[in-house]
Amino acid sequence: MTAITAAMVKELREKTGAGMMDCKQALSETNGDMEAAVDWLRKKGLSKAAKKAGRVAAEGLIGAVLAGTKGVLVEVNSETDFVARNEQFQGLVKMIGQVALKTGADVEKIKAAKVGSATVEVAIADAIATIGENMSLRRAAELSVGNGVVASYLHNSVADGLGKMGVIVALESTGATDELAALGRQIAMHIAAANPSALDAAGLDPEVVRREKDVLADKYRQQGKADNVIEKIVESGLKTYYKEVCLLEQAFIHDTGKSVAQAVKEAEGKVGAPVKVAGFVRYALGEGIEKQESDFAAEVAAASGQNNKPA
């Protein structure tokens, strides 16, 4: 039997918004399995959210670089937010984006690529020595189309092509590139705000869909619903779920009376040709990285030797 710690209860509370005792019971019932405990709470109707993104802790910048039918996103992390306002660091992120546009999204290949007489990895090391903070190229992504455009949107932008959140979206079409670029930017803004999990239902992780079905079915089974009724409820619930997490089915933030797919279809008149959303990438700075929490007062006391004084 796994010991249920206060830290585990705290983490589950932050993920779900459920009460402390409910979280403790959920972890006890699921032998400490965090994801199973989230599902247990949802089945009981006690979770306020299906999932909650990990607390964003890392600093730095997201960079986007476009070249017509191709685009890249890079995330370069630093220790503090001050660095994001440093012109040398901003230049470093832009340079890394330009390199990624040529080499592709493989982080190791980007770091090994030459910029002048030195590699990107050496350039990062030089910036660390000059600025005085640890930095790292965390990840990169690329999108391209045969015909059409790759558009972008940077949220909380600090300079051209740099921000705290970045989105690139690829549109396939033989239509007018200026109209495509405008449409692409609107869709990229939507993606930044709505955070879809996939382009459509086919792009979702089958395990995630299975879990969603199980949660829905178990919730209503516990209410005594008949199996044939549960089947219909689950089918309806999945349709609602797809509208929440699939880009093409989401309500378009610029006109919530239509879906993104409908908005794209209507835009084809201005573009002058059919338009297909071929893919998207959304990076939020530091997502999934947890910064170690510390007790600042305790650190100050320790540094001053107060903790060694007799009570």
Side-chain angles (χ1 to χ4, degrees):
M1 182 71 180
T2 303
I4 307 304
T5 65
M8 293 167 67
V9 174
K10 179 176 180 289
E11 181 181 349
L12 186 57
R13 286 190 72 189
E14 290 177 349
K15 280 179 176 286
T16 65
M20 182 177 68
M21 295 309 295
D22 291 326
C23 289
K24 187 174 181 181
Q25 184 181 355
L27 287 163
S28 297
E29 293 286 340
T30 58
N31 198 29
D33 186 316
M34 191 63 64
E35 293 302 323
V38 171
D39 288 349
W40 188 92
L41 287 167
R42 291 182 63 203
K43 291 170 185 177
K44 297 292 183 182
L46 298 171
S47 174
K48 292 183 175 68
K51 61 178 181 178
K52 184 178 180 183
R55 182 167 56 85
V56 175
E59 302 297 342
L61 286 171
I62 305 293
V65 181
L66 306 178
T69 58
K70 187 175 182 179
V72 296
L73 277 182
V74 297
E75 178 178 356
V76 184
N77 295 130
S78 60
E79 292 182 58
T80 69
D81 183 52
F82 288 110
V83 169
R85 287 168 269 167
N86 181 293
E87 289 186 0
Q88 182 184 351
F89 181 74
Q90 292 176 6
L92 176 70
V93 178
K94 287 184 177 182
M95 178 271 287
I96 290 172
Q98 290 288 349
V99 171
L101 198 61
K102 297 176 182 177
T103 65
D106 186 291
V107 169
E108 294 306 316
K109 286 184 179 179
I110 296 171
K111 290 195 292 187
K114 283 285 190 74
V115 180
S117 60
T119 64
V120 169
E121 189 166 25
V122 169
I124 294 173
D126 288 346
I128 292 171
T130 305
I131 297 173
E133 276 198 20
N134 190 29
M135 304 168 197
S136 65
L137 169 59
R138 181 189 178 199
R139 54 182 174 168
E142 65 176 325
L143 290 175
S144 63
V145 290
N147 292 296
V149 300
V150 175
S152 69
Y153 170 69
L154 276 299
H155 189 62
N156 287 335
S157 180
V158 298
D160 185 37
L162 300 173
K164 300 293 186 180
M165 178 187 292
V167 176
I168 53 175
V169 58
L171 300 181
E172 286 186 355
S173 178
T174 56
T177 55
D178 55 342
E179 293 292 348
L180 277 174
L183 174 63
R185 178 172 171 79
Q186 281 196 320
I187 295 173
M189 290 175 71
H190 169 96
I191 293 166
N195 193 17
S197 299
L199 191 63
D200 51 28
L204 290 170
D205 183 343
E207 179 61 20
V208 171
V209 176
R210 185 196 65 76
R211 280 185 59 194
E212 192 67 24
K213 290 172 69 175
D214 287 349
V215 166
L216 286 168
D218 287 353
K219 182 176 180 179
Y220 290 100
R221 191 171 291 118
Q222 290 179 23
Q223 295 178 11
K225 303 286 187 184
D227 286 346
N228 62 324
V229 174
I230 291 174
E231 187 176 343
K232 291 179 181 179
I233 292 174
V234 169
E235 185 178 342
S236 175
L238 280 178
K239 287 180 181 178
T240 301
Y241 174 68
Y242 294 151
K243 288 180 181 179
E244 293 172 353
V245 302
C246 296
L247 172 63
L248 296 178
E249 296 192 36
Q250 288 179 327
F252 196 35
I253 63 166
H254 302 284
D255 184 351
T256 55
K258 62 186 72 168
S259 67
V260 172
Q262 289 170 330
V264 171
K265 189 67 179 175
E266 288 184 13
E268 290 180 350
K270 285 186 178 180
V271 173
V275 179
K276 176 186 176 184
V277 182
F280 70 89
V281 180
R282 178 186 185 274
Y283 278 178
L285 182 66
E287 60 192 346
I289 300 177
E290 190 109 5
K291 186 181 289 183
Q292 185 176 358
E293 294 183 27
S294 62
D295 185 335
F296 183 68
E299 287 180 6
V300 172
S304 63
Q306 290 179 18
N307 286 355
N308 296 324
K309 292 181 180 181

